[in-house]
Amino acid sequence: MSVSPEIIEKFRAYQPQVWQSVKRVITDQVDQFSLDDSNVEGLSTAEATRGLATGVQIAFAFANAPEDNMVVFLPQLTVNALSNRDEAITLDDNLVAELRSTFEGVVQGICLAIGTILDEPMVASGLQIRLQDLHLPESLDRSEEVVKVSTSGTVNGQTVQVFWFLSRVAAATICGESTQSDEGNPFKLVSGGVEGRHGDPSFLEDASLEIIMDIPLEVSVELGRVKMPVKDVLELGPGSIVEIDKAAGEPVDVLVNNRLVARGEVVVIDDNFGVRITEIVSLQERLQKLNEAA
């Protein structure tokens, strides 16, 4: 289904508010920042991503619509400008880690602006920040059309562009327009939670949950796994190295009662290890894991 011209025009009118909010959030990290010229289009995924190559992809969803993924994409020239360095720099994972708080600020600014528009708090979930060629999440990639916001401006005196991709359903909801959810977007934003395709409130938080809030749960962090024959296990000894199925830098799994609920990155707090949550596993993925375990 195509994005209606009414939604496009209304969503375009919100863009100055959105990018001014982003500017306010990241002003501590970026001294001279402005994004003043925005265009909004309804395009096929192929048309929307054409001409965009390597850059930083920030994938997230609003917490009360976790299945409706969206992406903010910053091309290499924009990332270089955000680094505020005179010399030419290489776009790599170290630079992405260095600028992580700025990228998180972009998402926070969007959430604050949309929260103001909808008059309810908006929080991001499933945040993923990666250096890669632009690749839209499956929920967007299988849509007939996506909404593409193209914003240009300057950062530290350099011309930059920022792109925001979201579904027709998300854009319509932000604009206060009613729309039927298609197969690729089975959820819509509602006050306080997520509503199913047929208005089923089964996903909403229920007050009866309060009676179990003090029940302890076992939370564990899994670095990785490996299958080994008994022969190799018996040969293990001090100094042996076991190679697991995770590459260096990949997120670790956070499990609650041995069920995957989130992913994160290992951090050091004083003399202890900790995990910074970077992604909340979607309901669909959790159900899939349960089916695999059954």
Side-chain angles (χ1 to χ4, degrees):
M1 186 177 294
S2 300
V3 185
S4 70
E6 292 79 14
I7 291 175
I8 293 294
E9 289 303 316
K10 197 168 184 178
F11 200 62
R12 182 181 291 121
Y14 286 140
Q15 295 313 304
Q17 183 176 348
V18 170
W19 300 109
Q20 280 298 316
S21 177
V22 171
K23 178 180 179 179
R24 286 194 297 270
V25 172
I26 70 172
T27 187
D28 291 338
Q29 290 115 355
V30 184
D31 295 330
Q32 302 174 31
F33 173 80
S34 66
L35 289 171
D36 303 318
D37 185 17
S38 298
N39 186 41
V40 179
E41 303 172 277
L43 301 169
S44 69
T45 54
E47 292 174 319
T49 58
R50 185 174 295 130
L52 297 176
T54 302
V56 171
Q57 177 167 312
I58 309 171
F60 66 101
F62 294 135
N64 53 353
E67 301 294 328
D68 210 342
N69 297 298
M70 54 191 74
V71 165
V72 172
F73 184 76
L74 290 75
Q76 181 169 352
L77 290 177
T78 300
V79 179
N80 287 349
L82 288 170
S83 69
N84 195 22
R85 295 178 184 171
D86 295 331
E87 72 275 13
I89 57 175
T90 301
L91 184 57
D92 57 20
D93 290 331
N94 291 329
L95 180 61
V96 172
E98 181 181 326
L99 295 174
R100 184 178 181 88
S101 60
T102 300
F103 301 143
E104 291 173 344
V106 173
V107 175
Q108 183 183 354
I110 291 174
C111 289
L112 289 173
I114 302 306
T116 300
I117 292 168
L118 295 177
D119 195 25
E120 63 175 288
M122 301 300 295
V123 178
S125 70
L127 181 65
Q128 295 182 349
I129 302 174
R130 293 177 179 170
L131 170 62
Q132 63 179 67
D133 291 342
L134 177 59
H135 179 70
L136 297 183
E138 183 181 355
S139 60
L140 284 176
D141 195 38
R142 66 191 178 198
S143 301
E144 291 184 14
E145 274 197 0
V146 298
V147 175
K148 176 184 180 181
V149 179
S150 306
T151 305
S152 60
T154 59
V155 173
N156 298 317
Q158 302 181 56
T159 301
V160 298
Q161 286 182 301
V162 177
F163 301 94
W164 180 18
F165 303 90
L166 64 163
S167 71
R168 175 185 61 86
V169 173
T173 305
I174 291 169
C175 294
E177 302 286 341
S178 61
T179 180
Q180 293 182 342
S181 298
D182 56 23
E183 289 299 319
N185 294 283
F187 297 89
K188 62 180 180 179
L189 295 171
V190 294
S191 178
V194 179
E195 185 177 33
R197 182 180 291 116
H198 301 294
D200 178 10
S202 59
F203 294 110
L204 299 180
E205 190 173 22
D206 192 276
S208 61
L209 284 175
E210 293 180 3
I211 65 175
I212 62 171
M213 286 299 183
D214 60 345
I215 295 178
L217 299 173
E218 179 181 327
V219 179
S220 56
V221 177
E222 184 176 282
L223 181 61
R225 298 188 180 195
V226 63
K227 290 184 178 181
M228 300 174 64
V230 174
K231 172 179 173 294
D232 291 343
V233 173
L234 293 175
E235 292 177 354
L236 293 176
S240 299
I241 296 177
V242 177
E243 184 177 349
I244 58 176
D245 60 355
K246 284 282 182 71
E250 274 194 69
V252 296
D253 294 336
V254 180
L255 301 95
V256 175
N257 284 5
N258 294 319
R259 300 298 184 192
L260 178 66
V261 297
R263 297 184 178 90
E265 56 187 18
V266 177
V267 297
V268 177
I269 307 171
D270 295 328
D271 294 327
N272 298 318
F273 285 113
V275 175
R276 178 187 290 114
I277 301 298
T278 58
E279 174 191 0
I280 302 298
V281 175
S282 68
L283 176 63
Q284 182 179 0
E285 186 173 352
R286 275 180 279 166
L287 291 175
Q288 181 180 346
K289 293 288 185 183
L290 287 173
N291 289 335
E292 291 174 356

